[in-house]
Amino acid sequence: MDAPATTSADNGTSGGGSGWFTPHTQPTTSQGSEPEPTEGNRLAAMRPVGRPGPGGEANPGAQQDTAPPAAPEAAPAAPEAIAPEIPLQPTAPTPPRPTEARVPGQRSAPARQASPDAVLVRRTMAEVGPVADKVTSYFYALLFVRHPDLRSLFPAAMDTQRDRLLKALLTAAEHIDNTEVLVAYLQNLGRGHRKYGTRPEHYPAVGECLIGALSKYASAVWDAETEAAWVRTYTTISQVMIDAAAADELRAPAWWYAEVVAHDLRTPDVAVVTVRPDQPYPFLAGQYTSLETPWWPRIWRHYSFASAPRSDGLLSFHVKAVPAGWVSNALVHRARPGDILRLGPPAGSMTVDHTTDSGLLCLGGGTGIAPIKALVEDVAEHGERRPVEVFYGARSDHDLYDIDTMLRLQQSHPWLEVRPVVDRHGMLQLPDAIREFGPWHEYDAYVSGPPGMIRTGVDALRDIGVPSDRIRHDALEELVTAGS
């Protein structure tokens, strides 16, 4: 993917712009394109028969605006397979909407000498690292005091949002020299943040407050040269995101309404939720989306699709209610057929490369079996007979809530092998099971589950010789807050 020219964004020193962080590209609509249906019309089309309409209804809670640039929401491990922190375009046939790639650790950038701006940016980050909480609090204080109009775009309870925006910006800044990784990451963020109601005019305010917070807490290393480096860095970051959002606006809605059509409680805390989007929803098996419920407006969480694309257009998600998890508990314990949810765009690159005949080695822990099941269905639908080995990890037999489905798939496809691995004695047995079978040198590996399972699974795969560039998983950082 080509990197954007940094000269496309005013760095505040060229004299040709209208100030720091001023975006140059505004989202536009093509003359020949049809206007997107109004929110009221789209929602009315989705409203189930017999449920109250406008005027006497229970508001579905889909707010039009949400948060300005925030880091990708926490993506839960399995049902909520999280997003790869840094994207690589999937090699499988892509749907109309571009997808994102994998985390930085999965593909090392070639060694190169850091640019002067990168050196100054990283020096600043090293300085503020020990006081990150204070930086975050001060950043939001500045943002809401200087720009009170933006407060309504954020969730009412900021504890769920708190560090995501700053984390996203700092993650991007840290990779300012790695254009291949940076651009893909930012383009995905720009597209994804359309659902928050983020507009180009919001970026200057965020940049101004970012500089204010960093200059206060990195005062020991802050000078005019450092400030100029951060201005250039943030301007580049924001311009890539703005351009990606503008291009995406011509192709797809910022979000989809989706009606719950089935709610299957598999265990007291795990539910399979099936929804019908109000418009066609293109995605690839192995990807995930962000989801908002009517009970917690402006709070989005990531969930993996639990099947390959279906002819009937329905989408299914495996959701585990976690302690104090607002969205996950609402989906498991409150959602019922007829409720209206909102879906963000599809994302993720944990997809099958159908240009090769390599085997698939799939590790799914808990609800992490959801995207693994989707990958198996994808291989079957392509008529391939490549070997697929699935290790389904769980803490107890009770947690193997989808084992019957997986075993039925195994009976239907001779190329598929499903191996349940239950941790009966508090020991991590999944890595041992992987080592017991194999060899896996010619396999592409897919790992989905809780953060600890992903870490041990990736370590085990590397230990037995699976190359890092053939191991696909979602970003561990986002899993930390997954499922809430």
Side-chain angles (χ1 to χ4, degrees):
M1 183 176 299
D2 293 334
T6 54
T7 54
S8 69
D10 185 11
N11 62 13
T13 60
S14 65
S18 55
W20 284 357
F21 316 130
T22 302
H24 287 242
T25 302
Q26 303 288 336
T28 58
T29 55
S30 58
Q31 295 180 351
S33 62
E34 296 183 1
E36 181 178 332
T38 63
E39 180 170 340
N41 290 341
R42 287 179 59 191
L43 187 56
M46 281 295 298
R47 197 172 304 284
V49 176
R51 289 172 70 87
E57 73 206 5
N59 191 330
Q63 303 295 320
Q64 184 159 4
D65 291 326
T66 25
E73 303 89 354
E80 311 138 45
I82 61 210
E85 186 177 356
I86 308 269
L88 306 171
Q89 293 294 351
T91 51
T94 52
R97 173 183 295 276
T99 58
E100 80 179 49
R102 289 174 266 175
V103 280
Q106 291 178 278
R107 182 175 181 181
S108 301
R112 60 172 72 94
Q113 185 174 358
S115 68
D117 279 1
V119 171
L120 294 172
V121 164
R122 289 165 187 161
R123 184 177 68 176
T124 306
M125 292 174 66
E127 183 72 13
V128 302
V131 290
D133 286 347
K134 293 181 179 180
V135 176
T136 300
S137 297
Y138 190 74
F139 166 80
Y140 280 113
L142 285 179
L143 188 64
F144 296 153
V145 169
R146 295 181 181 178
H147 306 278
D149 54 309
L150 296 184
R151 181 61 183 90
S152 62
L153 303 183
F154 288 83
M158 282 296 293
D159 55 335
T160 60
Q161 165 68 32
R162 197 173 171 281
D163 62 350
R164 288 178 184 157
L165 171 53
L166 195 62
K167 180 180 178 182
L169 296 176
L170 296 182
T171 296
E174 186 176 9
H175 294 87
I176 194 64
D177 273 358
N178 191 341
T179 54
E180 180 181 5
V181 158
L182 178 66
V183 173
Y185 177 51
L186 293 176
Q187 287 178 333
N188 183 70
L189 282 183
R191 291 189 293 265
H193 280 86
R194 289 182 58 213
K195 68 179 179 291
Y196 291 114
T198 304
R199 306 298 300 171
E201 57 268 23
H202 295 150
Y203 286 85
V206 171
E208 167 197 332
C209 297
L210 171 67
I211 296 294
L214 293 174
S215 63
K216 176 177 176 63
Y217 286 97
S219 57
V221 298
W222 196 266
D223 53 25
E225 187 180 7
T226 300
E227 182 165 311
W230 273 98
V231 169
R232 288 188 291 268
T233 296
Y234 179 80
T235 303
T236 298
I237 289 171
S238 59
Q239 193 64 52
V240 175
M241 294 178 66
I242 290 168
D243 290 345
D248 195 58
E249 191 169 352
L250 302 178
R251 294 190 295 262
W255 63 76
W256 286 253
Y257 288 112
E259 177 189 350
V260 176
V261 296
H263 187 279
D264 178 12
L265 195 63
R266 297 288 183 87
T267 75
D269 60 355
V270 173
V272 175
V273 181
T274 302
V275 303
R276 177 185 292 112
D278 67 332
Q279 300 183 49
Y281 190 101
F283 72 99
L284 298 175
Q287 290 190 303
Y288 63 92
T289 187
S290 50
L291 190 152
E292 179 201 51
T293 73
W295 303 283
W296 297 105
R298 299 191 291 272
I299 296 178
W300 298 76
R301 292 293 182 267
H302 287 174
Y303 294 88
S304 290
F305 300 105
S307 69
R310 297 166 48 168
S311 59
D312 59 10
L314 298 181
L315 310 173
S316 292
F317 306 96
H318 293 187
V319 184
K320 180 180 177 64
V322 300
W326 295 1
V327 175
S328 63
N329 276 283
L331 289 171
V332 172
H333 300 302
R334 296 186 64 175
R336 294 295 181 267
D339 289 328
I340 304 296
L341 311 176
R342 282 206 299 175
L343 306 177
S349 66
M350 202 175 76
T351 55
V352 177
D353 180 359
H354 292 289
T355 66
T356 76
D357 58 359
S358 300
L360 273 63
L361 171 58
C362 302
L363 284 58
T367 50
I369 199 64
I372 301 303
K373 172 177 170 286
L375 295 177
V376 171
E377 293 179 355
D378 189 36
V379 173
E381 290 178 7
H382 278 76
E384 299 164 340
R385 297 182 62 83
R386 60 205 296 183
V388 178
E389 304 274 345
V390 174
F391 289 83
Y392 186 176
R395 294 186 180 277
S396 68
D397 292 333
H398 172 78
D399 294 322
L400 294 173
Y401 67 92
D402 210 31
I403 188 61
D404 290 342
T405 302
M406 298 305 298
L407 292 178
R408 283 196 298 270
L409 287 170
Q410 179 179 254
Q411 292 174 353
S412 302
H413 306 295
W415 41 262
L416 173 63
E417 185 72 37
V418 177
R419 296 186 174 92
V421 181
V422 178
D423 178 11
R424 299 187 185 280
H425 307 291
M427 305 293 290
L428 287 174
Q429 296 184 350
L430 189 55
D432 297 331
I434 298 168
R435 297 184 186 98
E436 181 181 344
F437 298 90
W440 308 114
H441 305 291
E442 300 302 320
Y443 281 68
D444 292 329
Y446 297 79
V447 189
S448 179
M453 189 228 106
I454 289 183
R455 292 189 181 96
T456 56
V458 169
D459 288 344
L461 291 169
R462 289 174 176 165
D463 288 345
I464 60 177
V466 179
S468 295
D469 61 359
R470 300 187 75 163
I471 302 175
R472 300 189 180 190
H473 61 85
D474 292 315
L476 295 176
E477 291 79 1
E478 295 178 5
L479 283 170
V480 173
T481 53
S484 59

